[in-house]
Amino acid sequence: MNDLANYNFAYLDEQTKRMIRRAILKAIAIPGYQVPFASREMPMPYGWGTGGVQVTASILGPSDVLKVIDQGADDTTNAVSIRAFFQKVANVAVTTRTADATIIQTRHRIPEEKLGEGQTLVYQVPIPEPLRFLEPRETETRKMHALEEYGLMHVKLYEDIARNGHIATTYAYPVKVEGRYVMDPSPTPKFDNPKMHMSEALQLFGAGREKRIYAVPPYTEVVSLDFEDHPFEVQKFDRPCALCGAENVYLDEVVLDDKGGRMFVCSDTDHCEDRRAHGHAGAMLAPAAKESQEAAE
Amino acid sequence: MYVAVKGGEAAIANAHRLLADRRRGDRSLPSITIEQVVEQLGLAVDRVMAEASLYDRALAALAVRQARGDMIEAIFILRAYRTTLPRFGYSEPVDTARMKVERRVSATYKDLPGGQLLGPTFDYTHRLLDPSLIGEDAVDEPALKEPGEHVMRVSDILDGEGLIEGDGQMPEGHVMGDLTREPMEFPMARDLRLQALARGDEGFLLALAYSTQRGYGRTHPFVGEVRIGEVEVELELPELGFAVSLGTVRVTECQMVNQFKGSAKQPPQFTRGYGLVFGQSERKAMSMSLVDRSLRTDEFDEDIVAPAQDQEFVISHADNVQATGFVEHLKLPHYVDFQAELDLVRRMRREYEPAQPGGKNVMKEAAE
Amino acid sequence: MSTQSQIYGGAFAEPVFEAQAVFRTLMDCFARPGTIGRLSTAASPPPPLGEASGAVALTLCDHDTPVWLSPALSKSAAPKWIAFHTGAAVTDTKNEARFAFFEKGAAVPGFDQFGLGSQEYPDRSTTLVVEVEALEGGQPLIGRGPGIKNGIVIAPKGLPDVFLDLWTANRAIFPRGIDLVVTSGETVLCLPRTTKLERE
């Protein structure tokens, strides 16, 4: 019992995988629609990526190369933990390099590097229902999706504008998929929304606790909801990454001291490292790091 | 200048080591055995089995020990194990009328066939700390009736007069659901609701049950009967054409008798709420039966006016493994989303400040 | 080959990995409609059930998925083969089936006789697995929709003449509708209900 080798390849039993695989195929066939599935208890807590883990476990094969990120970083503790889980139960090859991965499981970010045809992005989703906070009842939201009745969502976004002068939704920003279903892109910052549109990669979304799987196939229209007089726009950072000098990427704010000192660095750690390896340097890259890079080149 | 901190893997490994150390505690003390947990912390073991939906004392005790006594953590560990077990079949419904009762009390009759049997209950203990338990615990042998007695169920007594609704037959052609194998769908039929309540959090159900007593969806309950004992689990094998016994499990059953005035179509009769849990837990079985009854609004044309009557609310939030996971996930990093919020608040402040007399920029530049 | 060995043989040698490989091909083909996938680990089901169709059954069917079979398949050893290896029950009721299988040249009834799902649960629909003569060389059709970059030409050979009309009607009731796996030998081509087809 304490020997994980006794578990099936990729942990899940075959019957569970079949059930999830059927759900994935239906999800692909109905882009943006949330397919109910009989989510299993996983050996990590609900809310910590059990949906993503079940999706990954069901699609993963021995020749895959897996990358796991949380907040864009490969070395955040939960990403480390999920990666270690798949190494243990599937003996799968892992990588931190976006370009080398065939499956990328993510929480809260889409990699900066453009994803390609052979890749599948698996999102961990806490609340799959974009209408949940407008109407908590599943019985009601299901009807709204069935009737394509999304007026409430527009009203909510418009109320934001009236009150704040801005649409106050900064992450989990709702999108419409292929002109039909309004979908929650998971709590990625809206900065990442445009990357979903006509992506070359397959995007799968797993919500374990809420027992839903949904998908965006490659080359599919994903449009962030907006208004003619308030078009959708993403965050803009007024400075480049302090370590690699990258612009037009999503940055994390790092507090340096108790005197208000802070710096902004790439949230996508692989992207940042890759740029530094190619000689890009930001204003605050440690001199030692700069030197060793120069020596390596 | 700045070098990013790395080492998630080492940090996790070290945390696990420290956790193991804290679990073991003082090495000069003997470690507790699984048998000791099974024998001496039996009600903790029962709760873990009930809410994990897996009847195995040794594994539940192992989970309790591994979780350092954290019940929800232990339930979680056992559930995660359960989910990997192959499903061989579905047992026949247990027949609680044939229970070998160790405890059986009814609040609706002074005396009844089989009598009131107190059994191993805390009910009339005085809750005084007992210093004699600090050391070795010498205990007298119990006075026991012959075990194995079947006693008539109170519901059958009332049923004999036609004064109570029947055993809750599902509609014709209804295929019994399995909460652990099918996605949830609302409205949910009573079979699935009972499954959800049986593995639901004891504390949550207790609070909801309590709320119905205080008037939030009142059901006028009487404890028809609470019984605890062993029931046989049988599996029908298609090859044999009859059911074979797999063994016995200890369960607690509560039949709550509730008021009902009857309708044009039905003569007045009592209604019921039902509770059944693994092991010995009257609190859970009684809470379950109260909540079961309060959720049956559809059947009795009752208006939903209180949380305990709202099945989507109750069922969606009764599972403590789901609840604890989602509440506790808030401690995972959320800095990417927080950054997005920070950015918006700063932007809105910048627009707001110039309009204010003496407004200043809240955001200091990075000290480079 | 005796009927007995037809029924008990011909499944995957390595079920875990072969099912995974077949599923991944199906997933990629549904995500990129019109592309032709080769199932490197085809099963050998009893004729007239084709290799790829059999592999789809082994990969996706089980106790939870009633299966409908064409008249010719129903009369073959296929029902017993599917029941033995997957546990799936064969049903006569088309709209209860989660999967429906057709051998090469079988008449395909109107798609609307199968499960189309509801407006609330459009996923509860039948997936049709139809074997044809070949996945190329037939009447060319242009496919457009999610998963397709600029339009893709498909030309399965041996689809019924009314196929395009059936498919167009299926597309019109989106989000409801059936999904289609076209097979030939060891190859598959998938058409989710989102794909719009036109004559070239």
Side-chain angles (χ1 to χ4, degrees), chain A residues 14-28:
Chain A
E14 289 302 299
Q15 195 184 343
T16 300
K17 285 187 200 166
R18 267 195 302 276
M19 175 270 296
I20 294 173
R21 286 168 180 167
R22 291 192 295 260
I24 290 171
L25 296 185
K26 288 297 177 194
I28 292 170

Side-chain angles (χ1 to χ4, degrees), chain B residues 4 17 31 33 60 68 126 167 169 190 193 220 225 242 262 298 348 355 368:
Chain B
R17 244 174 96 176
S31 61
T33 66
R68 306 176 64 194
H126 297 143
D167 253 342
Q169 296 299 330
R190 193 175 173 207
R193 293 203 309 257
H220 308 274
E225 181 177 26
F242 55 86
D298 266 9
M348 284 165 40
E368 281 178 63

Side-chain angles (χ1 to χ4, degrees), chain C residues 5 19 57 96 131 169 195:
Chain C
S5 63
E96 275 177 10
E131 178 156 23
T195 304

Side-chain angles (χ1 to χ4, degrees), chain A residues 1 7 11 13 15-16 19 36-48 70-73 75-78 80-81 83 87 107-109 126-127 136-140 164-172 187-190 208-212 233 235-239 243 250-254 256-257 259-265 267 269 273 283-287 289, chain B residues 1-12 16 51-52 59 62-63 66 73 75-87 178-187 199 304 310-313 316-317 319-348 350-351 362-368:
Chain A
M1 206 185 80
Y7 290 107
Y11 179 79
D13 61 280
Q15 195 184 343
T16 300
M19 175 270 296
F37 82 110
S39 174
R40 300 293 194 248
E41 265 105 9
M42 297 300 285
M44 59 271 295
Y46 284 113
W48 298 52
D70 185 340
Q71 314 295 299
D75 58 348
T76 33
T77 41
N78 204 41
V80 169
S81 169
R83 188 165 57 238
Q87 280 177 290
R107 178 168 170 266
H108 293 194
R109 274 313 309 278
I127 302 278
R137 276 167 208 288
E138 216 261 336
T139 36
E140 293 301 316
N164 308 311
H166 294 272
I167 293 178
T169 305
T170 58
Y171 60 91
T188 50
K190 66 180 180 179
R209 193 178 39 75
E210 300 279 340
K211 303 178 168 59
R212 296 288 183 274
E233 52 183 29
Q235 296 103 312
K236 288 196 184 68
F237 293 86
D238 54 6
R239 69 201 80 192
L243 295 180
Y250 198 81
L251 301 177
D252 295 335
E253 180 172 339
V254 180
L256 296 170
D257 52 38
K259 298 178 187 68
R262 38 171 72 79
M263 66 188 284
F264 289 82
V265 297
S267 135
T269 50
E273 278 162 25
M284 296 181 73
L285 188 64
Chain B
M1 291 301 157
Y2 176 79
V3 181
V5 182
K6 293 230 167 196
E9 247 157 286
I12 289 174
H16 290 174
E51 290 173 36
L59 291 181
L62 174 60
Q66 189 178 331
E73 182 67 22
I75 291 161
F76 179 17
I77 293 170
L78 199 58
R79 283 247 199 119
Y81 176 68
R82 175 195 193 274
T83 198
T84 66
L85 299 174
R87 190 68 56 100
D178 182 344
L179 187 77
T180 66
R181 294 310 228 207
E182 297 149 22
M184 270 194 198
E185 189 186 319
F186 294 103
R199 56 166 27 199
I304 298 177
D310 181 336
Q311 56 162 285
E312 190 165 347
F313 176 81
S316 300
H317 302 113
D319 189 309
N320 53 25
V321 177
Q322 290 176 4
T324 199
F326 200 46
V327 167
E328 293 196 52
H329 108 285
L330 289 172
K331 67 195 166 193
L332 288 179
H334 282 77
Y335 55 77
V336 162
D337 291 343
F338 187 67
Q339 186 60 45
E341 298 276 89
L342 262 180
D343 176 69
L344 178 68
V345 173
R346 281 180 183 143
R347 203 140 41 93
M348 284 165 40
R350 273 198 296 271
E351 289 161 15
V362 286
M363 164 77 183
K364 284 182 196 160
E365 282 304 304
E368 281 178 63

